[in-house]
Amino acid sequence: FQQPARRRQATRAIRFLVPTGGSSRCLLGLGAVCALSAVACASGSYEAARRRDTEEAYLYLLASRPSERDAARARERLDTLHYQAAERSGDPAAFRRYLAEHADGAYKAEAAARLRVLRLRRALDAGNAATLERFVELHGEEGGPELAEARRRIEAYAFETAAADAARPVDALREFLSRHPEGAHRDRARALLDEAAWAQTERRGSEASLRRYLADLPEGTHRREALDRLEAVAARTALGSRDPAVL
């Protein structure tokens, strides 16, 4: 560079584009920066950067202290280029980087939505409730169809687990219903709970178990049968009190 002012601009650009301290935002090699600086020194305007229309050109322009108008236009164009690059990559990390670097960017909503979709896809591919619960923790306040789908899948996993619990079916189904009282699997869970609770009642074969069934499931499908058995127990007890030999 012939002019000291231009030389200082190039030096600032190199420091800006090739940061020290191990930064991950190292966009250009030193040789590329020098070549770009030579071009930009010839014309440091927004129009020159727009003709190249690259991230490097706009970054150099911003490093050369342009007018406020040119700086604003350069930042807007960088916003677009960074979002387009994230779209092309389809990588969640690229959208996270866009959102970190452009907190108020023009594509903030689109980037956040794309990030949710990609994260949900990965969570579904993992095939377990824990990963989906982590997704809900990250995006619980954002809403949207992705969050609803994640919660639906979590409920489905929970229902499958409860329904398959042969060791403690009654407790497992009760726990499921307490956590998902209005879920899509509510009616199926209630039906399974009814049958499991009645099977438990019959195994125990006591008056107390019959009363427990009626207390827990007052509208259960075996309600009438439970009441009939309690009446029979009461009748036998009454007869026994008059004539123990009858029992």
Side-chain angles (χ1 to χ4, degrees):
F1 304 112
Q2 300 302 319
Q3 298 181 22
R6 292 292 172 81
R7 187 179 299 112
R8 286 195 297 272
Q9 290 176 356
T11 300
R12 284 197 300 270
I14 291 170
R15 290 174 179 169
F16 180 79
L17 294 169
V18 187
T20 58
S23 171
S24 61
R25 187 60 176 155
C26 183
L27 299 174
L28 297 173
L30 185 58
V33 172
C34 289
L36 174 60
S37 299
V39 174
C41 281
S43 178
S45 67
Y46 174 80
E47 287 71 21
R50 189 69 177 87
R51 283 194 294 272
R52 295 179 63 84
D53 199 32
T54 63
E55 180 184 42
E56 293 81 4
Y58 293 116
L59 287 174
Y60 180 84
L61 174 62
L62 290 171
S64 65
R65 296 184 180 178
S67 67
E68 290 186 7
R69 180 169 178 269
D70 280 358
R73 290 195 294 172
R75 291 190 184 96
E76 287 176 4
R77 187 59 186 153
L78 276 173
D79 186 356
T80 298
L81 290 177
H82 288 168
Y83 179 75
Q84 290 174 344
E87 278 282 5
R88 287 193 299 271
S89 74
D91 185 352
F95 289 101
R96 286 198 303 270
R97 186 163 55 248
Y98 171 84
L99 289 169
E101 295 179 0
H102 302 276
D104 297 314
Y107 305 93
K108 177 182 177 180
E110 292 88 339
R114 290 284 288 129
L115 182 57
R116 284 196 304 271
V117 169
L118 292 170
R119 280 178 168 168
L120 176 60
R121 189 177 301 162
R122 290 191 175 185
L124 293 174
D125 289 344
N128 60 74
T131 308
L132 286 165
E133 287 168 356
R134 174 62 179 158
F135 173 86
V136 171
E137 289 177 7
L138 288 171
H139 301 283
E141 297 181 359
E142 299 175 23
E146 297 83 18
L147 189 65
E149 176 63 13
R151 286 175 170 156
R152 187 184 71 80
R153 294 296 186 98
I154 289 170
E155 184 202 340
Y157 280 127
F159 173 73
E160 291 170 6
T161 300
D165 193 334
R168 46 190 295 279
V170 173
D171 290 340
L173 288 162
R174 280 177 179 157
E175 289 169 7
F176 169 81
L177 286 167
S178 69
R179 293 174 182 171
H180 306 276
E182 302 300 328
H185 296 81
R186 178 191 61 187
D187 292 343
R188 291 178 63 193
R190 284 177 175 173
L192 288 176
L193 174 60
D194 190 349
E195 293 306 315
W198 183 246
Q200 185 179 82
T201 298
E202 290 195 311
R203 283 195 304 273
R204 292 175 176 174
S206 66
E207 179 181 354
S209 65
L210 288 166
R211 294 190 182 283
R212 174 66 183 275
Y213 173 84
L214 290 169
D216 290 345
L217 299 164
E219 302 300 324
T221 57
H222 299 278
R223 178 176 180 275
R224 185 67 264 168
E225 187 174 356
L227 289 171
D228 289 345
R229 290 191 184 186
L230 283 174
E231 289 176 3
V233 169
R236 288 197 299 271
T237 300
L239 287 173
S241 65
R242 293 194 299 271
D243 183 4
V246 174
L247 297 176

